[in-house]
């Protein structure tokens, strides 16, 4: 679907959790982190398996494993390198857990579902462009900046000849209707700020 240069993402799957009457958050496939972890695990497992097979065949273990075993046996637990390695492993583990538990794709705003088998999302920049275009149609609005977040739409407008209260009232009504017209599952709150254009000279 498209509207005034906006783009939406459609998904025919329904395996993600869905809120009542709307699309749930879109989950990122995380292909790059998953691929990196898979390659590292495959390489490490293959190297360790080869070394164990060599030892079983009455060959000496690889030098790196002998050095690592000796270092782990000799270094105390409060050694700087041991603590640094443990902190790095914990940080990587927490990062992987965060990737597994968070949806990602924060640039997509879930939309209400027109059909149970269809899921739709609107990009944040597209939603911001819609609000900006609607605001610029009003008389007395000189410029508009829109920052779309998940829970809030921050709009900063500059007026140049009408009364600020009148411009603010028109913007509040128009933008509220525009936000409702986006069809989002969770319409963001409107944070509106209207200022007077600076006089030249």
């Amino acid at each position: 679907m498209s509207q005034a240069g906006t783009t939406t993402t459609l998904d025919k799957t329904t395996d993600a959790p869905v809120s009542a009457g709307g699309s749930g958050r879109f989950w990122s496939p995380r292909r790059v982190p998953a691929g990196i972890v898979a390659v590292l695990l495959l390489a490490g497992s293959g190297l360790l398996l080869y070394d164990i097979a060599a030892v079983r065949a009455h060959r000496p273990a690889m030098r790196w494993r002998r050095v690592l075993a000796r270092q782990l046996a000799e270094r105390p637990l409060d050694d700087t390198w041991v603590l640094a390695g443990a902190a790095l492993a914990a940080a990587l583990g927490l990062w992987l857990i965060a990737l597994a538990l968070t949806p990602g794709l924060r640039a997509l705003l879930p939309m209400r579902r027109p059909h149970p088998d269809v899921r739709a999302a609107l990009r944040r920049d597209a939603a911001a462009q819609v609000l900006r275009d609607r605001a610029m149609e009003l008389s007395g609005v000189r410029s508009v900046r829109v920052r779309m977040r998940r829970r809030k739409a921050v709009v900063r407008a500059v007026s140049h000849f009408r009364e600020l209260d009148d411009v603010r009232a028109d913007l509040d009504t128009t933008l509220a209707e525009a936000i409702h017209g986006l069809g989002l599952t969770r319409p963001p709150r409107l944070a509106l700020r209207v200022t007077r254009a600076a006089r030249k000279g």
Side-chain angles (χ1 to χ4, degrees):
M1 294 184 297
S2 63
Q3 178 182 357
T6 64
T7 58
T8 59
T9 299
L10 298 179
D11 185 4
K12 290 284 186 174
T13 61
T14 58
D15 52 354
V18 178
S19 58
S23 301
R25 289 283 304 279
F26 281 70
W27 285 72
S28 171
R30 315 284 194 189
R31 294 187 180 91
V32 174
I36 293 175
V37 172
V39 169
L40 292 178
L41 288 177
L42 180 63
S45 301
L47 187 61
L48 184 60
L49 182 61
Y50 172 81
D51 191 39
I52 293 175
V55 172
R56 292 287 185 178
H58 305 290
R59 294 181 180 179
M62 289 184 176
R63 185 174 180 275
W64 68 267
R65 194 154 72 96
R66 297 197 305 269
V67 172
L68 180 61
R70 185 174 67 252
Q71 292 290 337
L72 292 176
E74 294 176 354
R75 290 183 181 272
L77 293 179
D78 58 351
D79 184 79
T80 303
W81 288 105
V82 175
L83 295 177
L88 179 61
L92 290 176
L94 292 175
W95 177 61
L96 292 176
I97 292 174
L99 290 180
L101 297 180
T102 54
L105 297 181
R106 298 178 62 85
L108 296 181
L109 300 174
M111 301 178 68
R112 293 190 294 270
R113 303 184 85 155
H115 190 276
D117 294 333
V118 177
R119 298 178 66 225
L122 182 66
R123 293 188 59 86
R124 286 194 196 186
D125 54 357
Q129 185 63 40
V130 171
L131 297 186
R132 182 183 181 279
D133 292 345
R134 290 293 303 276
M136 289 298 296
E137 294 174 357
L138 295 177
S139 174
V141 177
R142 180 174 181 178
S143 63
V144 180
R145 294 177 59 186
V146 180
R147 184 178 180 184
M148 182 67 68
R149 301 176 181 173
R150 283 183 55 208
R151 302 294 177 87
K152 183 166 62 174
V154 181
V155 180
R156 292 181 173 86
V158 177
S159 176
H160 57 122
F161 65 85
R162 292 180 62 197
E163 292 293 333
L164 289 183
D165 291 340
D166 296 338
V167 175
R168 184 179 295 107
D170 289 347
L171 282 172
D172 190 46
T173 301
T174 300
L175 294 178
E177 294 176 353
I179 291 175
H180 179 74
L182 293 176
L184 301 178
T185 301
R186 295 182 178 178
R189 294 185 297 106
L190 176 62
L192 176 61
R193 181 182 179 184
V194 183
T195 57
R196 178 72 68 187
R199 296 183 179 179
K200 296 183 179 180

